[in-house]
Amino acid sequence: MTLDYPSILFFLALNNLFIMALFIYQYFYHHKQWYLLLVALGITLQTSAIILYGNRDVLPPLLTLRLNNFFLVACFALTSFGLISFDGKVRKKLLRLFIVSGLLFYAAILLFEDNFTIISIIRIVSCSFFYAIGAFYLFVNKRKYKFSILLSGVLLLYSLFQLFRAFKVFQLGESYVFLQNSTFNNWFLIISILVISSISIGFIMLLKEIDQKTILRKNKIIEQDKRKLEALHQTQNKLFSIIAHDLRSPFINILGLSDILMDNVKKSADPESEKCTELINTTAKNTLNLLDNLLNWAKSQTGELGFSPEKIQLSEVIQEIIGLKMANAKSKNISLKYSPSNDIELITDKNILGTILRNLIANAIKFTNYGGHIEVVTSANGQQVEISINDNGVGMTAETIRKIFDLSTNVTLPGTANENGSGLGLVLCKEFVEKLNGKLWVESEVGKGSNFKFTLPLATVDPPK
């Protein structure tokens, strides 16, 4: 079988250009790994060697020969090192071995550049040497990828073939002519094209196999994390249940007992005892309010806060909350008023609305001076109702207004009677108003008080997810 060698070299160069494009595409659109560029560079050098050989009659013979041999030795080293670096590791000792070996092979070629047969043998042995190292490292990789073993087998067979070819060239001696029409040279070209194509396709498949295993490994980790999160979620629900029942119940009992105690102390007309009893009662109420806020906020964050709309009279809800907060207002001699202009009926969640009003009124009492006043005002306009809690307390700066609805800033200013707070109440109010498809804002001026306003739709709508 004979071949048209210019045509087969052109086909080999064309095949190499396709492989270079494939590796560059993989680099920019898939893996972005340096070893892809290394293999592409190795194939580029081999293509350059083919082009130089094809133009050997045009360029200076000695320069062509030296460049051609340098490109080929570098091609074998770069391609092999790129293939064995598929796991992303830079094997520095092996890199030094490749550099030193490549320089030694090229130095030997320069030393015997007058003997074409010896040059061919050195070049062939260098190819066998570098590919054999590549075959070894691909085979011993601890993860044992299928395509790394297949690549290892291809490289090993090609390395052995190159040794056999070097032996045949040595036997032919001076009679050997590169690309001479012979069965041996024909098989060399055919096998070389097949090996280059097989290595390139096999390497891309190896990268796909690595990607698949990485995805499987990440999916297992995600599944494990999912199970852990489910376990944590169950633990969290159990904790909330314990807090809501076993911790909240004693506070309710303390409040009931302190109310009874207050009545008895008032009858005894002992101012000191009455003051202590009121303190116990107020502390218990504040702590229970904080506990309720924590539970409600936790439910809101986990999506477990129920939404149960019902038809309610707004004035009844407000008066109920004011009744609960009246004792706190009286303790600071604060006037807490609500004068409903008309009966406003709306459909919303009564418990969530009560939590909003309770926190906003408690906040107004906290930051209103002794002898101050607080007024709750409602008005219906079109499809919504506006509720405002207006006080003549200490007021706020624009910077404070910006922070009070953000839990991460943790604004916890003391009240006018040095009352403590968690900073959670207003954050909770904002989230709850938005859950009811409303809007909450505040108008305030330092020294003149604050006016917290929020709107709610009159008709029920589904809460935002």
Side-chain angles (χ1 to χ4, degrees), residues 151-164:
L151 271 177
S152 172
V154 172
L155 289 174
L156 180 62
L157 289 173
Y158 191 62
S159 179
L160 293 173
F161 170 75
Q162 290 286 43
L163 285 177
F164 174 72

Side-chain angles (χ1 to χ4, degrees), residues 12 16 41-50 71-72 75-76 196:
L12 181 60
N16 284 356
L41 179 59
I43 301 296
T44 303
L45 291 176
Q46 186 187 54
T47 307
S48 301
I50 293 170
F71 287 163
L72 286 174
C75 158
F76 304 144
I196 293 170

Side-chain angles (χ1 to χ4, degrees), residues 239-251:
L239 178 62
F240 286 159
S241 176
I242 292 169
I243 292 172
H245 183 268
D246 296 347
L247 188 58
R248 196 172 182 276
S249 295
F251 275 108

Side-chain angles (χ1 to χ4, degrees), residues 188-208:
F188 162 68
L189 285 173
I190 293 168
I191 290 172
S192 295
I193 293 172
L194 289 174
V195 166
I196 293 170
S197 300
S198 300
I199 288 173
S200 303
I201 295 170
F203 192 60
I204 298 300
M205 295 306 294
L206 171 60
L207 297 180
K208 287 181 70 68

Side-chain angles (χ1 to χ4, degrees), residues 47-265:
T47 307
S48 301
I50 293 170
I51 294 170
L52 279 173
Y53 188 82
N55 293 277
R56 62 189 181 279
D57 296 331
V58 179
L59 300 171
L62 187 61
L63 177 64
T64 303
L65 181 66
R66 287 177 177 176
L67 283 175
N68 184 276
N69 287 318
F70 175 78
F71 287 163
L72 286 174
V73 172
C75 158
F76 304 144
L78 289 171
T79 304
S80 179
F81 191 78
L83 291 174
I84 63 180
S85 302
F86 72 92
D87 53 5
K89 293 181 180 178
V90 181
R91 296 172 173 85
K92 293 182 180 180
K93 291 183 179 178
L94 190 62
L95 179 61
R96 286 194 287 268
L97 173 64
F98 271 46
I99 293 172
V100 172
S101 301
L103 292 174
L104 288 175
F105 279 122
Y106 187 65
I109 287 171
L110 292 178
L111 186 64
F112 295 99
E113 64 183 4
D114 293 333
N115 190 325
F116 186 76
T117 303
I118 299 297
I119 289 176
S120 297
I121 291 171
I122 295 170
R123 191 171 58 221
I124 295 167
V125 169
S126 72
C127 176
S128 176
F129 172 79
F130 288 120
Y131 284 173
I133 293 176
F136 172 77
Y137 272 92
L138 284 167
F139 183 77
V140 300
N141 184 273
K142 62 181 180 180
R143 291 190 177 174
K144 295 294 181 186
Y145 295 105
K146 289 185 294 183
F147 280 97
S148 71
I149 295 172
L150 287 173
L151 271 177
S152 172
V154 172
L155 289 174
L156 180 62
L157 289 173
Y158 191 62
S159 179
L160 293 173
F161 170 75
Q162 290 286 43
L163 285 177
F164 174 72
R165 179 173 169 237
F167 176 71
K168 292 290 290 183
V169 171
F170 177 74
Q171 282 186 326
L172 291 172
E174 296 293 332
S175 62
Y176 171 75
V177 179
F178 181 59
L179 295 185
Q180 184 183 37
N181 286 348
S182 67
T183 302
F184 177 72
N185 281 329
N186 291 349
W187 277 110
F188 162 68
L189 285 173
I190 293 168
I191 290 172
S192 295
I193 293 172
L194 289 174
V195 166
I196 293 170
S197 300
S198 300
I199 288 173
S200 303
I201 295 170
F203 192 60
I204 298 300
M205 295 306 294
L206 171 60
L207 297 180
K208 287 181 70 68
E209 183 184 357
I210 293 170
D211 287 345
Q212 289 173 353
K213 288 195 173 184
T214 302
I215 291 170
L216 286 173
R217 190 165 60 252
K218 287 182 177 179
N219 284 341
K220 286 181 180 178
I221 294 170
I222 290 170
E223 189 63 31
Q224 290 172 357
D225 290 343
K226 183 182 176 183
R227 286 196 291 268
K228 289 178 181 177
L229 284 172
E230 286 175 353
L232 286 171
H233 184 64
Q234 291 174 359
T235 304
Q236 170 192 276
N237 289 342
K238 188 175 181 181
L239 178 62
F240 286 159
S241 176
I242 292 169
I243 292 172
H245 183 268
D246 296 347
L247 188 58
R248 196 172 182 276
S249 295
F251 275 108
I252 294 173
N253 293 334
I254 291 170
L255 279 171
L257 292 170
S258 65
D259 286 336
I260 296 170
L261 187 59
M262 279 180 67
D263 291 338
N264 293 332
V265 168

Side-chain angles (χ1 to χ4, degrees), residues 293-304:
N293 281 343
L294 285 170
L295 289 170
N296 286 327
W297 182 78
K299 287 179 180 178
S300 174
Q301 296 303 303
T302 56
E304 294 179 1

Side-chain angles (χ1 to χ4, degrees), residues 4 6 8 18 33 65-66 184 204 208 273 361 363 388:
D4 178 8
I8 201 70
F18 171 75
Q33 296 290 344
L65 181 66
R66 287 177 177 176
F184 177 72
I204 298 300
K208 287 181 70 68
S273 297
I361 292 172
N363 185 75
S388 66

